[in-house]
Amino acid sequence: MASCLILIGFMGSGKSVVGRKAAASLGWDFADSDPLAEKAMGMTISEAFATRGEEYFRSIEETVVLDLLDQAAAAGVGMVISLGGGAVTIPRVHQRLALQPLVVLLDQDFDVSRNRTQNGRRPLAADPVRFRELFEARQGVYRELAQFTVDARGKSVKGVVADVIRIARERTQTT
Ligand code: S3P
């Protein structure tokens, strides 16, 4: 079975950028759940929250992530999958992630996450109090699911990508 490395972490931790670069270096496929959910909904995540509500978005996100995990399991090449920061809170996604051997948490500083999410594209980043509550509330589930944690604090994207690649190589050589 081909390897599948899944990046989890809070909004603004760098999952998409790091995932894309790590996949390119490894020669693996890359998939990002947010743009796939937007494609499936035919609207942006902000529009979905505003017009249909968070529950609707989570139902689409669930389908997208479960499909991606199925695809990765069937694929002949390795795959890096970057998940939206809240995907881990969806019960069926959580159950599936708990069975995955290569879940990597990008651990980022609160202030960096906050600064990177001020472009209006993330509905759950609009309210600073809610954003902080979510940041704190999610730490437990991220740590529960991750076999590896990359400390991204104060590190360049290049450095974080190098850490992720090292984990992928070590893990796939020995398994
Ligand atoms: C969310 C994270 C976002 C996106 C949506 C909700 C969350 O993805 O899925 O805005 O609940 O943490 P990123 O983590 O890629 O920003």
Side-chain angles (χ1 to χ4, degrees):
M1 195 171 71
S3 307
C4 173
L5 185 148
I6 300 159
L7 286 178
I8 62 170
F10 201 59
M11 292 174 259
S13 58
K15 299 173 300 271
S16 301
V17 171
V18 168
R20 182 176 298 282
K21 286 179 186 289
S25 293
L26 289 160
W28 292 10
D29 284 350
F30 172 67
D32 192 346
S33 67
D34 281 347
L36 291 171
E38 290 188 324
K39 198 169 163 213
M41 297 185 298
M43 63 180 114
T44 66
I45 291 172
S46 294
E47 284 164 351
F49 270 69
T51 62
R52 309 277 310 262
E54 179 171 351
E55 222 174 291
Y56 167 69
F57 167 68
R58 296 299 176 199
S59 70
I60 302 294
E61 188 178 34
E62 172 178 321
T63 305
V64 164
V65 174
L66 295 180
D67 282 356
L68 277 176
L69 294 175
D70 287 344
Q71 275 173 39
V77 292
M79 196 163 171
V80 176
I81 302 177
S82 295
L83 296 187
V88 295
T89 64
I90 301 169
R92 288 177 63 206
V93 171
H94 183 282
Q95 276 168 24
R96 285 286 298 274
L97 290 178
L99 304 172
Q100 290 285 328
L102 202 40
V103 179
V104 179
L105 167 63
L106 292 195
D107 199 17
Q108 187 51 276
D109 195 57
F110 176 80
D111 290 329
V112 173
S113 296
R114 177 98 192 103
N115 289 337
R116 284 183 182 165
T117 50
Q118 294 307 292
N119 56 9
R121 289 201 211 119
R122 289 169 179 91
L124 296 177
D127 173 354
V129 176
R130 174 104 201 269
F131 189 77
R132 182 173 282 281
E133 281 169 2
L134 274 180
F135 181 85
E136 279 160 17
R138 295 249 182 93
Q139 297 306 317
V141 68
Y142 290 144
R143 280 169 175 72
E144 176 203 335
L145 288 172
Q147 288 93 19
F148 300 92
T149 298
V150 171
D151 186 359
R153 290 157 223 256
K155 244 184 226 160
S156 64
V157 169
K158 212 171 159 189
V160 178
V161 170
D163 286 353
V164 171
I165 291 170
R166 194 173 320 118
I167 291 167
R169 291 214 169 110
E170 279 170 15
R171 257 321 259 233
T172 51
Q173 266 163 22
T174 54
T175 51

